[in-house]
């Protein structure tokens, strides 16, 4: 597969917090239009790697390219120089991110939460953004909650607003960091259903998740991480149902 067909190309990525090396040597290519699920125990580096993709965390070594563009840095000869915050923000505009906690503005309605990004960051007209916001909230099953505030919505509804908000920026890549882990079990299915819709629409997605059923059904590739390394990767049927590495087998057994 040529470089142009990769949405994410991570090369020998390293990341430490103080003396703790969280990512030791991560190389991973994610094809455009694919869904990749990152699985593994807590502390294995999954969420850190996800945050490195859009430069929310600065890497200590290696390089990450998104759609062929080096994230967060420019090169001069053999040296890397970090971009300005404004340049990094420009790169991030094309990458949607959905967190464990919904991070909605509590003083804004569901619709206003979705509309604010396109208007303030992308400079789109308010009327155009409102019309698009209504379509997106309808897509995530919340057309009846346009004027509801986050405190009036369930956790699952808030997470679906967060997905609509990310989609309002027309991203080419969506990153999901344990999007269902803060939800009551009965609310998880609605959120996963929306993510499944996005996948069917061809959105490139990288999902950190413990939802093995979702990974098995939706992902083209499952990546098992442990101790800051990629231990095993492959089709869901291989990694989840027939893992070759003992560490993967132990983990899958513990979560299924």
């Amino acid at each position: 597969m040529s470089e142009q067909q990769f949405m994410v190309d991570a090369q020998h990525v390293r990341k430490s917090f103080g003396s703790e090396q969280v990512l030791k040597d991560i190389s991973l290519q994610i094809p455009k239009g694919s869904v990749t699920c990152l699985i593994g125990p807590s502390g294995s580096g999954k969420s850190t790697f996800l945050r490195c993709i859009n430069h929310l965390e600065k890497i200590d070594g290696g390089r990450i390219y998104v759609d062929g563009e080096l994230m967060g840095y420019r090169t001069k000869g053999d040296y890397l120089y970090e971009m300005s915050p404004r340049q990094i923000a420009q790169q991030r505009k094309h990458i949607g991110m959905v967190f464990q906690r919904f991070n909605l503005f509590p003083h804004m309605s569901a619709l206003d939460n979705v509309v604010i990004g396109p208007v303030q960051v992308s400079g789109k007209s308010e009327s155009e953004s409102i019309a698009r916001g209504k379509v997106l909230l309808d897509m995530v099953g919340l057309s009846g909650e346009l004027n509801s505030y986050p405190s009036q919505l369930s956790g699952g509804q808030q997470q679906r607003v967060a997905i609509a908000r990310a989609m309002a920026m027309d991203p080419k890549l969506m990153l999901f960091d344990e999007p269902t882990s803060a939800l009551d079990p009965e609310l998880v299915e609605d959120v996963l259903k929306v993510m499944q819709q996005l996948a069917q629409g061809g959105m490139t997605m990288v999902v950190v998740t413990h939802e093995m059923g979702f990974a098995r059904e939706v992902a083209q590739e499952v990546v098992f991480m442990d101790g800051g390394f990629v231990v095993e990767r492959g089709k869901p049927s291989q990694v989840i149902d027939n893992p070759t590495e003992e560490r993967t087998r132990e983990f899958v057994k513990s979560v299924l």
Side-chain angles (χ1 to χ4, degrees), residues 12-256:
H12 304 292
V13 173
R14 300 191 310 280
K15 172 67 183 175
S16 296
F17 294 104
S19 60
E20 186 188 1
Q21 197 173 3
V22 179
L23 301 178
K24 292 173 181 167
D25 184 2
I26 301 287
S27 291
L28 196 61
Q29 288 75 40
I30 292 164
K32 291 180 180 178
S34 70
V35 178
T36 300
C37 284
L38 307 181
I39 64 170
S42 295
S44 58
K46 309 179 302 293
S47 292
T48 298
F49 176 63
L50 200 74
R51 292 169 66 86
C52 287
I53 291 175
N54 65 356
H55 204 69
L56 280 176
E57 296 289 355
K58 298 178 189 179
I59 59 177
D60 299 323
R63 300 183 181 197
I64 297 177
Y65 295 86
V66 173
D67 203 13
E69 190 179 348
L70 182 62
M71 276 302 296
Y73 298 92
R74 56 187 175 81
T75 51
K76 198 171 182 183
D78 293 334
Y79 295 96
L80 290 180
Y81 296 90
E82 191 173 20
M83 291 176 168
S84 70
R86 179 178 284 189
Q87 289 170 318
I88 293 166
Q90 277 295 116
Q91 288 187 314
R92 277 200 203 116
K93 266 179 24 177
H94 307 294
I95 303 172
M97 186 151 187
V98 177
F99 300 87
Q100 294 179 33
R101 299 285 167 186
F102 327 118
N103 294 351
L104 299 176
F105 294 113
H107 61 289
M108 289 185 178
S109 69
L111 183 59
D112 287 342
N113 264 285
V114 174
V115 166
I116 188 171
V119 172
Q120 294 203 351
V121 179
S122 300
K124 292 188 175 172
S125 76
E126 197 166 341
S127 59
E128 178 191 354
S129 299
I130 287 172
R132 170 97 168 120
K134 287 177 177 176
V135 168
L136 288 168
L137 285 168
D138 183 46
M139 184 194 84
V140 299
L142 292 174
S143 56
E145 304 291 350
L146 302 182
N147 299 313
S148 298
Y149 288 86
S151 61
Q152 298 170 308
L153 300 172
S154 71
Q157 288 173 321
Q158 289 184 61
Q159 192 61 295
R160 284 183 279 151
V161 173
I163 293 172
R165 178 183 59 183
M167 289 299 296
M169 297 298 291
D170 293 319
K172 53 191 174 186
L173 170 66
M174 284 284 283
L175 308 176
F176 292 87
D177 187 9
E178 299 273 18
T180 59
S181 67
L183 302 179
D184 293 331
E186 66 271 19
L187 303 174
V188 167
E189 199 176 326
D190 289 340
V191 173
L192 293 179
K193 212 175 280 177
V194 169
M195 292 170 65
Q196 202 161 2
Q197 277 177 269
L198 292 181
Q200 287 164 353
M203 173 60 69
T204 309
M205 294 160 58
V206 186
V207 186
V208 173
T209 187
H210 281 108
E211 299 287 343
M212 293 298 130
F214 175 82
R216 189 186 271 120
E217 209 171 310
V218 179
Q220 276 79 48
E221 182 167 60
V222 173
V223 177
F224 173 66
M225 290 177 63
D226 191 26
F229 291 104
V230 170
V231 176
E232 189 165 353
R233 59 186 292 194
K235 292 181 177 177
S237 57
Q238 178 211 315
V239 177
I240 297 173
D241 300 322
N242 193 25
T244 57
E245 299 291 331
E246 180 57 33
R247 185 66 194 93
T248 316
R249 279 199 290 272
E250 286 170 11
F251 173 76
V252 170
K253 200 173 166 186
S254 73
V255 295
L256 286 180

